[in-house]
Amino acid sequence: MKPWQSYLRPSWRKVLSDLIGNRTRTLLVVASIAVGVFAVGMIAGSYYIIPSDMNDSYSSANPANIQIQTRPFDENLIRAVERTRGVSSADGERTVSVRMKTPDGDWVSLSLIARTQPFAERIDLVKPLSGAVEPGKNELILEKRTAEKYSLGPGDVLELKLEDDSIRRMKIAGTAQDLTSGIGGMFNNTKGYISDESIEWLHEPYYFSRLLVRVAEGDNDPAAIQAVADNVKDTLAKDGYEIYQIQKNPTNVHPMESILQAIIQVLLYLGVLIVFLSGSLISNTLTALLNQHLPQIGVMKLVGAQRRQIIRLYLALILSFGLLSLVIAIPLGSWAAYALSDFAAGLINFPLRGFRIVPQAILIQIAIGLFVPLLAGIWPVVRGAGVTVDSAISGGSHMQEAPAQKSLVDQGLGRLRSLSRPLLISVRNTFRRKGRLVLTLLTLTLGGAIFISVFNVQVSLNHKIEQITKYFSADVNLDFNRPYPIHQVTALVRGVDEVVSVEPWAIGQANVLNEKDEVVDSLTLLGPPANSPLVTPIITEGRWIQADDKNALTVNEAFMRKVPGLKVGDTIRLKVGTRKADWTVVGIFQFTGINDLIAYSHYDHLARTLNYTASAAAYRITTLDHSLEGQTRLAQQIDARFRARGYDINSVEAGATITNSVTEYIGVLTAFLVVMALLTASVGSIGMAGTLSMNVMERTREIGVLRAIGAYDTMILRLVLVEGLLIGLISFVLGALLSFPITHVLADVISMAIFSAPAQTAFTLQGFVIWLGVVILLSVGASLIPARNASRMTIREVLAYE
Amino acid sequence: MMFEPTKLPLPVDASTPVAALTALHNPKPLLSLRQVVKVYPTRSGDITALKGIDAEFYRGEFVGIVGKSGAGKSTLTHMISGVDQVTSGEVWFEDTPVHTLSEDQKALWRGRHVGVVYQTFQLMPSLSLLDNILLPMEFCGTYQRGKSEERALELLRAVELEDHAFKKPSAISGGQQQRAAIARALANDPPLIVADEPTGNLDTATAETIFSLFETLAERGTTILIVSHDRSLEDRVSRLLTITDGELSEMRSLR
Ligand SMILES: Nc1ncnc2c1ncn2[C@@H]1O[C@H](COP(=O)(O)OP(=O)(O)O)[C@@H](O)[C@H]1O
Ligand SMILES: [Mg+2]
């Protein structure tokens, strides 16, 4: 006796031979289960890893619970805030903007962040990565992303150009990772840390502009934080500090958590969908398997098998399928979960605790990998086990079949007489097993719909970004630290080749006042020339600013949240510079993704209010070349030109930089979605391959007869191919239709997470075309193997086949 | 091909007495049918395949039942082996009322007491011959690791298939498959073997060996019941019945 055989009971050997005897089928079932389990493992794994690592790293970084933007202050205010009730510690932060020379010789802006607290115990800890933990005087610690982007590290010396154009050399003492920046940190990530002793060495006055506060108690409780924030506001008010902006954050929740949760949520839905689809595939295959095994079941009953023994046998087979798929899908899923988490960690900038197995995720995988097939198989198994020996063995030759009710499809086919015979056979075959066809179509349709939707969602989100760029369509933004006469600046800018136009903009900060003339909020006032072509507003109510407007504002939607019930015609009291006045809201525009208050007036009026006379501190320039490279090149030329003449430049920026990083971020998001789309598509293709090979398997005899009456190989090949294509094309049409509602839902969920506003759904042909190609390839590919097998069978084999 | 039925591994107590003597000394029948009726309801009206069969079969009898196609032979074997339910009447196997058993009870009873042989062999295609023989033992709870394998190999040796023990049914000839099926029918050493046209798919020479196999079994006390439309059966059996239109009549008997 073969040694391995002696360990198994004969019934187990049957299970084993069913497993390895029909490898194609085993592969099919195992793959159907594995995709679902894999998807769930990947999503569940990252669901556990990402938020936990993200929040852990955040809360371990001693994050600020309250951040306040105010006018320049010094240590006295910090001490005063520290003494405020409920405050555990406070610090001031100063960002010094300089330009650094990259190893490639380019000048890029660099934010140097200075604080008073020692690095080891400060608010908003940074995680030391290499070199020194604390920068010495005139040294800096470079943030991880900047260090990685430019391959810089401890010991390197940076050449910095200061605001006054003098050059300083600063040694990189070490590198560290910022653990606390929220979404803002994602876009502005060229930065480093310096000691407050270095501020003056960088030719800047010593002061701070941002106040960071940690609360003594209830640092995870928004209400407690709010109470302390009120105390701090009082302290600031007493010393005459106005609050420009205030942000509150509990210690245990990373500011990015909600966005990530939303994304993972979407993935989770898709995962459930995939499991559902793979479940329907499994039930498809198992039903076919049991049908095929009916004679065997009859034989087993003949020799004494009872129903429960047969049920046990087949459930064992199904569980073996499940176990096999777990062996594949658990390691792959764990790996993918980590890869996905790593991706997110890089994006949001938090350290992962390292690769790990998530027991919860594996438990879910095991449950799904075993339960879904059992659930899908229990009905066919119980029914199959109930077959009588007589009917199973006689092969139903005496069975009384119900008179074939002619379905609509059959009737329709009856009219297709004009089709060629073989084609007619294909069409009829496609519709022969209706339950199976429906399940296959369901999987392929949903897979396709999601696939197409992902492309549409990407376009919808880009659409959103485009809307943002409608307010920032200048190619170069030139900002000075003080106003300069318009004719001078314009003349100089126009001296640069490729410049098309220059606009002066009045830009100023203002405070919102309440009835008692107390400052309640701050806003940014923007004054482009009336009718500026560089702003294409999306007006939701009222109208845009006009040239003859005085003290009129068009405000962004953020006002609606801050001032509930605000409507066109209302007035808002503002303090602009030193002037207090009532301004009328004439319109509301949409600018998603921004919670700060922004209002537009027009240049003439705002300049007058700000006491500019035929001058401006901000200029918006359009050029011939709209690419980021072209814009950057011109920005550098303009920069050089003005600096050479001693202008006090704040920044010269290429317009596309603003939107580029958002676009990148959305690209990343859709990458997540594409992965899911591919998963659903693969479930669909497995389903298709399964259906076709089952159809062919069941018709082996018929194919033999066709061959016997003279059908040649290519004809049989074509028969099966046409059947596959038919299924593929039907699913494409249905999937394309279904993609419309799915796009809407998906785009809205994601857009709400990123922009806190519903998406404006857009559609692109791209997804449809690609999916059509994929479906055709899939159909051909999935039919090829069964078709080849069928055409290869000799007549004798076919007729002996049982 | 020389066939030596003496090699059959059968219980010692049944090995010596001649079948006829057994029947005479043990007047209690092994199997009795009382007014067995089988009606198949079809859309074109009921078909009464068995019209009140009365019969008794004794230990060691080698019974042949002949009849034309459609006479009700297969139906009769189904009623005896409990593969299908009688419409009315009783089937007694010693003290067991087979007609009252549930499907599962019938399966277990059949597995232990009746070996069924079909014209189409009905072996499990995915299992080796050895496993095909072991399967009934496992289903009926008589499987013992090692011992059962030995017995299965002995059975295979007795039907001269020992060398093919690990082959799949598809790898051997029809006659060999039928011998394997008989070996399987003997797996649990049942007192009754029911064979429905066992030689129907075989050539005459092969059919001969199958018949001599049954003869030997009968000599050792196993009751053999063969139905066939083939009249060549007549000379070999100890008792012959005919079935015509669902009615059974005795043709020849030793008693
Ligand atoms: N499952 C069934 N349903 C309907 N009629 C049946 C069924 N089985 C057998 N019959 C009918 O019963 C009669 C006897 O059949 P059967 O026992 O198979 O005859 P035999 O084996 O002698 O050829 C025939 O008329 C046959 O058509
Ligand atoms: Mg028959």
Side-chain angles (χ1 to χ4, degrees):
Chain A
M1 184 167 300
K2 292 177 190 171
W4 62 268
Q5 282 188 319
S6 58
Y7 291 104
L8 291 170
R9 293 181 142 245
S11 63
W12 279 105
R13 285 208 282 277
K14 158 150 169 61
V15 172
L16 200 68
S17 74
D18 286 342
L19 271 180
I20 53 183
N22 190 338
R23 256 163 257 174
T24 319
R25 184 181 57 210
T26 300
L27 205 74
L28 213 72
V29 183
V30 168
S32 317
I33 306 172
V35 259
V37 174
F38 168 78
V40 166
M42 178 171 83
I43 298 162
S46 32
Y47 186 79
Y48 282 102
I49 296 174
I50 296 175
S52 113
D53 284 18
M54 186 165 87
N55 291 338
D56 277 4
S57 96
Y58 185 72
S59 50
S60 71
N62 209 28
N65 299 123
I66 304 165
Q67 301 175 40
I68 294 172
Q69 207 87 41
T70 181
R71 69 175 166 81
F73 60 92
D74 60 15
E75 266 128 335
N76 292 330
L77 184 75
I78 302 176
R79 296 292 90 79
V81 169
E82 250 175 357
R83 285 191 303 270
T84 303
R85 199 156 45 83
V87 172
S88 112
S89 66
D91 197 4
E93 187 178 277
R94 171 69 186 283
T95 302
V96 178
S97 302
V98 298
R99 294 141 69 74
M100 72 173 223
K101 193 173 189 177
T102 67
D104 295 336
D106 296 331
W107 288 97
V108 298
S109 49
L110 172 72
S111 302
L112 291 173
I113 296 158
R115 297 264 296 273
T116 70
Q117 291 175 320
F119 266 61
E121 56 208 52
R122 60 183 227 154
I123 300 175
D124 284 358
L125 281 174
V126 293
K127 185 184 171 208
L129 293 178
S130 66
V133 171
E134 185 123 20
K137 192 168 184 325
N138 309 341
E139 289 181 345
L140 79 133
I141 301 277
L142 205 57
E143 210 280 322
K144 179 175 175 259
R145 296 194 200 194
T146 313
E148 283 171 358
K149 186 168 177 189
Y150 300 110
S151 314
L152 292 166
D156 291 337
V157 175
L158 280 185
E159 194 177 331
L160 304 180
K161 196 184 266 183
L162 309 185
E163 292 275 320
D164 62 3
D165 277 354
S166 49
I167 299 287
R168 283 287 191 210
R169 293 179 172 279
M170 247 187 162
K171 196 180 118 199
I172 300 175
T175 60
Q177 185 172 16
D178 174 8
L179 302 176
T180 48
S181 61
I183 196 160
M186 286 181 49
F187 306 133
N188 173 27
N189 45 28
T190 317
K191 62 184 170 190
Y193 305 93
I194 55 173
S195 141
D196 62 331
E197 295 174 328
S198 308
I199 296 179
E200 283 166 321
W201 183 70
L202 292 169
H203 294 187
E204 290 287 330
Y206 185 91
Y207 68 80
F208 302 97
S209 58
R210 205 160 80 108
L211 189 68
L212 306 173
V213 176
R214 275 192 60 80
V215 304
E217 270 162 38
D219 62 338
N220 292 336
D221 171 13
I225 295 171
Q226 180 62 52
V228 178
D230 290 341
N231 296 343
V232 172
K233 274 187 199 165
D234 290 345
T235 305
L236 263 63
K238 226 177 296 158
D239 289 348
Y241 287 94
E242 293 142 2
I243 293 176
Y244 295 156
Q245 195 195 32
I246 185 162
Q247 240 176 299
K248 283 151 274 181
N249 249 100
T251 300
N252 59 352
V253 181
H254 192 288
M256 288 285 285
E257 202 209 13
S258 55
I259 290 187
L260 250 121
Q261 291 280 20
I263 294 167
I264 297 181
Q265 200 94 40
V266 171
L267 293 186
L268 218 57
Y269 292 148
L270 292 181
V272 169
L273 208 68
I274 290 177
V275 169
F276 173 73
L277 293 183
S278 88
S280 71
L281 281 190
I282 301 164
S283 101
N284 231 348
T285 322
L286 291 182
T287 307
L289 186 149
L290 263 297
N291 275 339
Q292 215 188 327
H293 273 221
L294 284 181
Q296 292 193 35
I297 294 174
V299 172
M300 288 190 279
K301 285 190 148 188
L302 181 71
V303 301
Q306 292 136 73
R307 201 177 163 136
R308 64 186 153 77
Q309 288 173 317
I310 287 168
I311 292 178
R312 212 185 301 142
L313 213 70
Y314 281 93
L315 291 189
L317 179 64
I318 293 174
L319 282 179
S320 312
F321 288 136
L323 283 174
L324 276 179
S325 69
L326 286 181
V327 167
I328 301 167
I330 288 182
L332 274 182
S334 299
W335 172 81
Y338 186 72
L340 201 67
S341 305
D342 195 43
F343 192 39
L347 198 69
I348 299 163
N349 203 20
F350 65 85
L352 280 185
R353 266 187 272 139
F355 177 82
R356 60 186 185 277
I357 300 290
V358 182
Q360 294 94 323
I362 292 186
L363 283 180
I364 297 174
Q365 282 181 288
I366 292 176
I368 288 182
L370 299 183
F371 271 117
V372 169
L374 278 185
L375 215 65
I378 194 84
W379 170 240
V381 167
V382 166
R383 212 190 34 167
V387 74
T388 62
V389 181
D390 183 29
S391 63
I393 288 180
S394 67
S397 62
H398 282 295
M399 287 226 268
Q400 300 294 322
E401 279 186 37
Q405 272 273 318
K406 275 217 162 183
S407 71
L408 281 180
V409 175
D410 295 329
Q411 290 171 19
L413 288 179
R415 294 200 201 98
L416 293 176
R417 288 285 139 96
S418 53
L419 290 179
S420 75
R421 274 286 126 190
L423 188 62
L424 205 62
I425 294 176
S426 288
V427 174
R428 190 164 288 142
N429 285 338
T430 310
F431 292 98
R432 169 143 46 184
R433 287 256 174 199
K434 294 191 188 71
R436 182 180 299 164
L437 177 71
V438 165
L439 280 179
T440 312
L441 279 179
L442 190 77
T443 13
L444 260 186
T445 300
L446 273 177
I450 291 172
F451 190 91
I452 296 170
S453 302
V454 166
F455 284 85
N456 292 339
V457 165
Q458 182 161 24
V459 174
S460 306
L461 294 180
N462 282 338
H463 202 64
K464 207 84 190 167
I465 294 173
E466 239 164 64
Q467 290 183 1
I468 295 174
T469 61
K470 287 191 168 145
Y471 298 92
F472 294 111
S473 42
D475 293 304
V476 178
N477 300 314
L478 171 60
D479 291 289
F480 300 102
N481 284 321
R482 63 181 187 79
Y484 287 99
I486 294 171
H487 69 272
Q488 277 179 19
V489 175
T490 310
L492 263 179
V493 172
R494 285 197 170 279
V496 177
D497 280 347
E498 293 183 50
V499 165
V500 176
S501 71
V502 195
E503 282 183 5
W505 280 37
I507 298 178
Q509 289 292 320
N511 288 316
V512 182
L513 305 174
N514 62 12
E515 314 83 58
K516 287 177 255 167
D517 270 8
E518 293 163 343
V519 174
V520 289
D521 225 321
S522 66
L523 82 157
T524 306
L525 276 175
L526 297 167
N531 307 322
S532 163
L534 295 183
V535 182
T536 320
I538 303 161
I539 301 287
T540 53
E541 257 175 77
R543 60 166 176 85
W544 190 240
I545 289 298
Q546 292 167 358
D548 53 356
D549 280 339
K550 292 201 170 53
N551 279 13
L553 293 175
T554 304
V555 301
N556 68 345
E557 285 174 330
F559 275 85
M560 310 287 281
R561 286 189 288 275
K562 297 249 166 117
V563 191
L566 181 81
K567 54 185 188 302
V568 171
D570 288 358
T571 57
I572 303 177
R573 194 160 173 77
L574 297 183
K575 183 180 159 201
V576 186
T578 52
R579 292 186 197 181
K580 295 178 183 174
D582 283 336
W583 293 64
T584 308
V585 175
V586 295
I588 297 169
F589 66 92
Q590 193 184 48
F591 189 129
T592 44
I594 297 270
N595 272 318
D596 296 343
L597 302 182
I598 299 174
Y600 281 85
S601 175
H602 59 85
Y603 172 80
D604 292 340
H605 183 74
L606 191 56
R608 215 172 303 131
T609 314
L610 290 167
N611 283 329
Y612 293 173
T613 41
S615 60
Y619 290 86
R620 299 292 172 257
I621 300 161
T622 49
T623 62
L624 286 176
D625 185 353
H626 300 304
S627 71
L628 180 59
E629 293 71 38
Q631 292 176 345
T632 311
R633 187 166 38 79
L634 276 187
Q636 280 164 353
Q637 284 180 31
I638 293 169
D639 187 50
R641 212 174 165 97
F642 279 88
R643 278 181 199 276
R645 288 165 178 79
Y647 282 80
D648 186 2
I649 292 180
N650 181 327
S651 69
V652 186
E653 258 187 343
T657 38
I658 300 165
T659 47
N660 259 27
S661 42
V662 186
T663 316
E664 246 168 58
Y665 177 49
I666 285 176
V668 165
L669 264 181
T670 35
F672 276 68
L673 293 176
V674 167
V675 169
M676 300 311 285
L678 286 178
L679 273 178
T680 41
S682 56
V683 179
S685 40
I686 293 170
M688 166 104 86
T691 300
L692 289 177
S693 51
M694 283 186 278
N695 282 359
V696 170
M697 223 143 59
E698 282 167 8
R699 290 208 314 274
T700 314
R701 185 170 293 273
E702 177 187 311
I703 290 171
V705 173
L706 277 177
R707 286 175 63 85
I709 61 172
Y712 40 93
D713 291 359
T714 50
M715 195 160 130
I716 289 166
L717 205 80
R718 205 173 331 129
L719 223 64
V720 183
L721 277 180
V722 167
E723 195 180 331
L725 274 176
L726 208 62
I727 296 179
L729 291 179
I730 295 173
S731 88
F732 173 76
V733 172
L734 296 178
L737 290 177
L738 193 63
S739 75
F740 286 82
I742 290 185
T743 300
H744 271 289
V745 173
L746 219 55
D748 266 356
V749 172
I750 294 173
S751 177
M752 282 312 281
I754 305 176
F755 305 110
S756 334
Q760 270 143 329
T761 317
F763 293 89
T764 168
L765 213 59
Q766 205 184 10
F768 293 93
V769 171
I770 295 180
W771 181 245
L772 181 62
V774 169
V775 157
I776 290 175
L777 280 181
L778 273 183
S779 316
V780 174
S783 4
L784 222 56
I785 296 169
R788 218 191 40 186
N789 288 347
S791 68
R792 268 206 197 144
M793 275 190 214
T794 63
I795 298 169
R796 192 191 59 80
E797 267 176 334
V798 166
L799 296 178
Y801 191 93
E802 49 117 47
Chain B
M1 176 165 48
M2 271 314 293
F3 191 71
E4 292 179 70
T6 43
K7 282 187 191 159
L8 280 176
L10 289 173
V12 195
D13 60 332
S15 61
T16 38
V18 181
L21 289 176
T22 317
L24 287 171
H25 288 281
N26 186 4
K28 196 169 156 41
L30 177 71
L31 176 75
S32 40
L33 309 180
R34 296 184 196 151
Q35 281 301 308
V36 170
V37 173
K38 179 64 182 176
V39 178
Y40 293 110
T42 69
R43 221 171 300 103
S44 43
D46 289 355
I47 296 175
T48 309
L50 299 178
K51 300 173 177 163
I53 305 277
D54 280 305
E56 290 183 339
F57 303 101
Y58 296 86
R59 278 193 182 273
E61 274 191 317
F62 188 4
V63 184
I65 301 175
V66 291
K68 292 205 184 86
S69 180
K73 304 182 297 294
S74 295
T75 307
L76 183 63
T77 64
H78 291 163
M79 298 305 113
I80 294 171
S81 64
V83 150
D84 200 357
Q85 191 69 36
V86 296
T87 306
S88 69
E90 296 174 357
V91 179
W92 286 84
F93 186 87
E94 292 185 316
D95 296 328
T96 311
V98 178
H99 56 281
T100 64
L101 299 181
S102 72
E103 275 291 309
D104 276 351
Q105 286 168 331
K106 270 196 277 195
L108 190 60
W109 162 81
R110 180 170 58 240
R112 287 190 177 153
H113 302 282
V114 190
V116 186
V117 178
Y118 277 95
Q119 176 177 4
T120 46
F121 323 136
Q122 301 296 348
L123 294 165
M124 296 284 286
S126 60
L127 290 182
S128 67
L129 300 188
L130 186 76
D131 284 337
N132 261 290
I133 295 170
L134 289 172
L135 209 54
M137 304 187 197
E138 191 186 338
F139 285 137
C140 298
T142 59
Y143 175 81
Q144 287 171 288
R145 179 167 296 155
K147 264 186 144 173
S148 296
E149 274 85 355
E150 267 171 42
R151 178 175 163 76
L153 279 173
E154 265 180 70
L155 285 168
L156 280 173
R157 194 176 309 134
V159 296
E160 296 201 323
L161 287 172
E162 201 188 3
D163 295 343
H164 304 290
F166 296 103
K167 287 190 181 158
K168 297 273 164 68
S170 55
I172 56 176
S173 72
Q176 286 171 323
Q177 285 191 52
Q178 194 59 300
R179 270 151 47 203
I182 293 170
R184 180 184 66 184
L186 296 171
N188 285 321
D189 192 18
L192 175 66
I193 300 264
V194 178
D196 186 354
E197 314 251 15
T199 57
N201 274 3
L202 305 175
D203 59 81
T204 347
T206 318
E208 273 305 297
T209 65
I210 299 294
F211 274 130
S212 44
L213 189 50
F214 283 128
E215 256 165 3
T216 319
L217 286 170
E219 276 164 22
R220 298 175 177 219
T222 307
T223 307
I224 310 282
L225 219 150
I226 299 182
V227 304
S228 177
H229 65 276
D230 182 1
R231 296 225 141 220
S232 71
L233 178 70
E234 292 173 15
D235 309 333
R236 317 201 59 137
V237 295
S238 57
R239 179 178 168 198
L240 186 70
L241 298 101
T242 56
I243 184 164
T244 320
D245 281 342
E247 283 177 287
L248 198 63
S249 53
E250 199 86 23
M251 291 293 286
R252 165 165 66 77
S253 171
L254 265 178
R255 296 207 311 152

